[in-house]
């Protein structure tokens, strides 16, 4: 017995709006549904994850997911919830971005299985590139009135001055382009349902309206949205001081990705573990109960961080992220430091004091390097005392002799020295 897709979304807190008749359709037949994504970067970020998880649940409930890469619409920009028009991209960049996105989504959806509901990726550039403006005006424009388009909340926000630059004609027509995607997929691929974030509701209902007005009232199509995910304090989810949390490990290391989920609040962890993992309800209920018994153990955050890191990256990446976390907060070894790639190493020690020293200083005694070349210790006397008390480490190894020369062989990654003063005070020296 396949699960009920709508019920699955409801208990997970992933259902915002749904058109009447949608649930009945999903229970009656295998439904093809699509979700659009913007290809303006070569990686998705965690802001996209709720939509991707909707597709994952859809497929697991026996339906067929399509992910639509907006190669054409990505060239012009979407006014929904945005205050500025997007940059235009060329064909090569769009193709590169599409291939990168597909590789990431393939970790969530099955594109390979020989089954009727295997996932597919489509690009609206394929059907828009030969579509002339006259064709568009005749086949699409005549069906939707300006009054209908003007009533959309996303358009009103831009026209009423909440955005600095007003609304260009290009962006005004965006809802027609997105509506035509739905019409095209309905006619050519049998897609009856569009999924998306709640900020897309206006564009999505334009699609269902275009299908009805073009093909007649017997042509039924549907729309379903997930809520826009926020943090418990109301702030935007997925953004940090340094920007987005990306799925691409070159943009956001698995360590930093893991730490993001590990550090969410208790309230957010309880919501996010339902939205961003495929764990069953009884497992999540048990974790919530266990967490409430002893919140200090952060059971929910740990399981959430583990599940999402494995899903987006791999089990090996999770193991490395956990090991990297232990370097800063627990006992570790020089070997563990040397196993880290440079990006992860720098992420782990991102918040510690950094000093640059000249490579000509190598070969000098540690006491010279860590007092004069870099002010790790305020005085030689204090360093001597701490070394004698066993309170100083170089690259996670106890420094037994304050006069020991520091050489090129001590360098991590050929350029770094990690000095630890006491239990918690780290200093990172970069040799240039």
């Amino acid at each position: 017995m396949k699960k009920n897709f709508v019920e699955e979304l409801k208990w997970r807190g992933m259902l915002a709006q749904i058109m009447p008749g949608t649930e009945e359709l999903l229970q009656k037949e295998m439904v093809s549904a699509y979700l659009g994504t913007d290809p303006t970067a070569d990686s998705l970020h965690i802001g996209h994850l709720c939509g991707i998880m909707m597709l994952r649940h859809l497929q697991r409930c026996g339906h067929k997911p399509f992910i639509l890469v907006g190669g054409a619409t990505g060239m012009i920009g979407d006014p929904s919830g945005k205050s500025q028009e997007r940059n235009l991209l060329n064909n090569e960049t769009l193709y590169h971005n599409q291939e990168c996105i597909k590789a990431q989504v393939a970790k969530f959806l099955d594109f390979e299985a020989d089954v009727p509901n295997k996932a597919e990726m489509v690009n609206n550039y394929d059907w828009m590139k030969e579509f002339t403006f006259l064709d568009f005006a005749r086949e699409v424009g005549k069906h939707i009135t300006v009054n209908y388009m003007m009533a959309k909340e996303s358009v009103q926000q831009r026209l009423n001055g909440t955005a600095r630059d007003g609304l260009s004609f290009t962006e005004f027509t965006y809802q027609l382009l997105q509506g035509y995607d739905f019409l095209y997929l309905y006619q050519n691929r049998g897609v009856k349902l569009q999924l998306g974030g709640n900020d897309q509701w206006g564009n999505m209902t334009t699609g269902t309206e275009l299908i009805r007005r073009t093909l007649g009232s017997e042509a039924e199509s549907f729309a379903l949205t997930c809520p826009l995910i926020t943090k418990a304090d109301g702030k935007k989810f997925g953004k940090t001081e340094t920007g987005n949390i990306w799925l691409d490990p070159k943009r956001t290391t698995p360590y930093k990705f893991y730490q993001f989920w590990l550090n969410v609040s208790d309230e957010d962890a309880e919501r996010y573990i339902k939205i961003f993992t495929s764990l069953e309800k009884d497992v999540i209920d048990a974790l919530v109960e266990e967490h409430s018994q002893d919140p200090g153990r952060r059971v929910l955050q740990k399981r959430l961080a583990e599940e999402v890191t494995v899903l987006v990256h791999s089990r090996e990446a999770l193991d490395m992220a956990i090991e990297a976390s232990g370097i800063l907060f627990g006992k570790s070894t020089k070997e563990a430091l040397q196993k880290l790639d440079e990006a992860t190493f720098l992420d782990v020690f991102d918040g510690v004091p950094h000093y640059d020293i000249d490579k000509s200083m190598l070969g000098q005694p540690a006491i010279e390097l860590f007092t004069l070349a870099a002010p790790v210790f305020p005085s030689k006397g204090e360093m001597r005392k701490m070394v004698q008390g066993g309170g100083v480490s170089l690259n996670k190894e106890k420094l037994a002799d304050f006069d020991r020369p520091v050489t090129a062989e001590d360098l991590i990654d050929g350029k770094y020295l990690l000095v630890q003063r006491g239990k918690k005070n780290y200093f990172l020296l970069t040799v240039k």
Side-chain angles (χ1 to χ4, degrees):
M1 181 67 185
K2 291 278 191 258
K3 286 184 184 175
N4 179 317
F5 176 58
V6 174
E7 286 301 317
E8 186 76 7
L9 294 186
K10 277 180 182 171
W11 79 258
R12 289 182 182 276
M14 294 173 72
L15 185 64
Q17 296 188 76
I18 180 170
M19 284 182 67
T22 306
E23 188 168 7
E24 291 78 2
L25 176 76
L26 286 157
Q27 289 175 291
K28 187 174 70 177
E29 62 188 69
M30 185 189 85
V31 176
S32 292
Y34 89 95
L35 177 132
T37 190
D38 169 31
T40 49
D42 62 2
S43 173
L44 300 175
H45 54 73
I46 58 174
H48 296 107
L49 273 186
C50 186
I52 302 300
M53 289 302 292
M54 284 173 83
L55 288 179
R56 181 175 171 86
H57 293 307
L58 180 92
Q59 189 173 38
R60 287 159 70 102
C61 290
H63 304 288
K64 183 175 177 69
F66 284 80
I67 181 149
L68 180 145
V69 173
T73 39
M75 287 178 162
I76 63 165
D78 167 16
S80 305
K82 311 292 188 303
S83 58
Q84 290 183 322
E85 202 162 324
R86 292 172 179 165
N87 295 328
L88 310 189
L89 301 175
N90 61 37
N91 285 347
E92 299 79 61
T93 305
L94 283 168
Y95 179 75
H96 167 75
N97 292 355
Q98 173 187 319
E99 291 306 297
C100 293
I101 288 168
K102 183 173 182 180
Q104 291 180 341
V105 176
K107 295 182 177 180
F108 296 82
L109 305 177
D110 187 351
F111 287 89
E112 303 301 325
D114 187 20
V115 290
N117 73 324
K118 79 170 184 177
E120 293 190 46
M121 176 175 268
V122 291
N123 186 337
N124 61 11
Y125 183 72
D126 293 338
W127 56 82
M128 293 303 299
K129 63 185 174 190
E130 306 295 336
F131 206 27
T132 68
F133 182 76
L134 292 176
D135 292 334
F136 186 76
R138 185 175 62 242
E139 294 181 32
V140 180
K142 72 175 185 181
H143 291 294
I144 302 290
T145 66
V146 170
N147 307 48
Y148 179 87
M149 294 168 71
M150 293 281 285
K152 299 293 183 182
E153 187 182 350
S154 59
V155 172
Q156 286 296 318
Q157 285 173 347
R158 295 291 292 264
L159 287 174
N160 293 336
T162 51
R164 213 171 47 241
D165 303 325
L167 179 69
S168 71
F169 173 76
T170 310
E171 286 195 291
F172 183 54
T173 57
Y174 185 92
Q175 61 177 290
L176 292 184
L177 290 167
Q178 187 170 329
Y180 182 72
D181 287 341
F182 200 174
L183 173 62
Y184 181 90
L185 290 172
Y186 183 94
Q187 289 180 298
N188 293 277
R189 306 303 293 270
V191 172
K192 293 183 180 178
L193 172 63
Q194 184 179 175
L195 309 175
N198 209 31
D199 61 336
Q200 292 293 317
W201 182 255
N203 291 339
M204 292 161 73
T205 51
T206 297
T208 60
E209 187 68 9
L210 181 62
I211 289 168
R212 187 185 67 78
R213 292 188 186 186
T214 304
L215 303 175
S217 57
E218 68 279 1
E220 288 191 300
S221 55
F222 302 88
L224 182 159
T225 63
C226 62
L228 296 180
I229 310 302
T230 57
K231 295 194 284 191
D233 59 11
K235 289 181 182 169
K236 195 167 182 178
F237 163 77
K239 291 272 192 182
T240 66
E241 288 175 16
T242 52
N244 287 319
I245 302 293
W246 299 92
L247 307 195
D248 183 343
K250 294 193 289 292
R251 287 173 175 253
T252 301
T253 61
Y255 163 78
K256 201 168 186 178
F257 186 87
Y258 173 78
Q259 285 292 323
F260 171 83
W261 300 100
L262 197 61
N263 288 311
V264 301
S265 69
D266 289 351
E267 190 178 336
D268 285 336
E270 191 171 332
R271 284 192 305 132
Y272 295 169
I273 201 164
K274 295 173 186 171
I275 296 169
F276 299 112
T277 79
S278 299
L279 294 173
E280 300 295 346
K281 190 174 188 303
D282 57 341
V283 175
I284 291 176
D285 288 344
L287 285 166
V288 169
E289 176 58 31
E290 187 184 352
H291 184 91
S292 68
Q293 301 300 320
D294 184 3
R297 286 176 53 220
R298 300 180 74 76
V299 169
L300 272 179
Q301 285 91 337
K302 286 176 183 173
R303 187 63 182 272
L304 169 67
E306 287 174 13
E307 292 286 330
V308 186
T309 304
V310 169
L311 191 54
V312 170
H313 296 295
S314 66
R315 175 67 57 183
E316 293 74 27
L318 170 68
D319 292 342
M320 193 190 77
I322 292 172
E323 190 169 353
S325 302
I327 287 170
L328 196 56
F329 306 113
K331 290 184 177 178
S332 191
T333 62
K334 184 178 181 181
E335 287 68 36
L337 279 184
Q338 289 170 324
K339 274 199 289 185
L340 300 181
D341 60 84
E342 185 177 9
T344 304
F345 178 82
L346 291 174
D347 272 348
V348 171
F349 298 104
D350 183 38
V352 311
H354 281 55
Y355 299 109
D356 292 339
I357 62 173
D358 195 277
K359 62 182 176 187
S360 63
M361 303 288 290
L362 290 175
Q364 293 199 28
I367 197 162
E368 299 291 330
L369 240 60
F370 305 150
T371 57
L372 301 178
V376 175
F377 296 90
S379 68
K380 290 182 179 180
E382 186 167 329
M383 180 174 167
R384 282 193 195 96
K385 198 184 301 177
M386 283 201 78
V387 170
Q388 286 161 353
V392 180
S393 295
L394 174 61
N395 300 334
K396 284 290 178 179
E397 294 180 339
K398 282 269 186 271
L399 192 65
D401 180 5
F402 55 79
D403 270 339
R404 151 165 128 58
V406 177
T407 68
E409 288 182 13
D410 291 307
L411 299 178
I412 303 285
D413 248 339
K415 63 173 104 164
Y416 302 111
L417 296 168
L418 181 71
V419 185
Q420 191 174 351
R421 194 183 76 197
K423 282 188 178 177
K424 295 181 180 176
N425 298 309
Y426 288 94
F427 300 83
L428 185 60
L429 280 54
T430 305
V431 178
K432 293 185 171 181

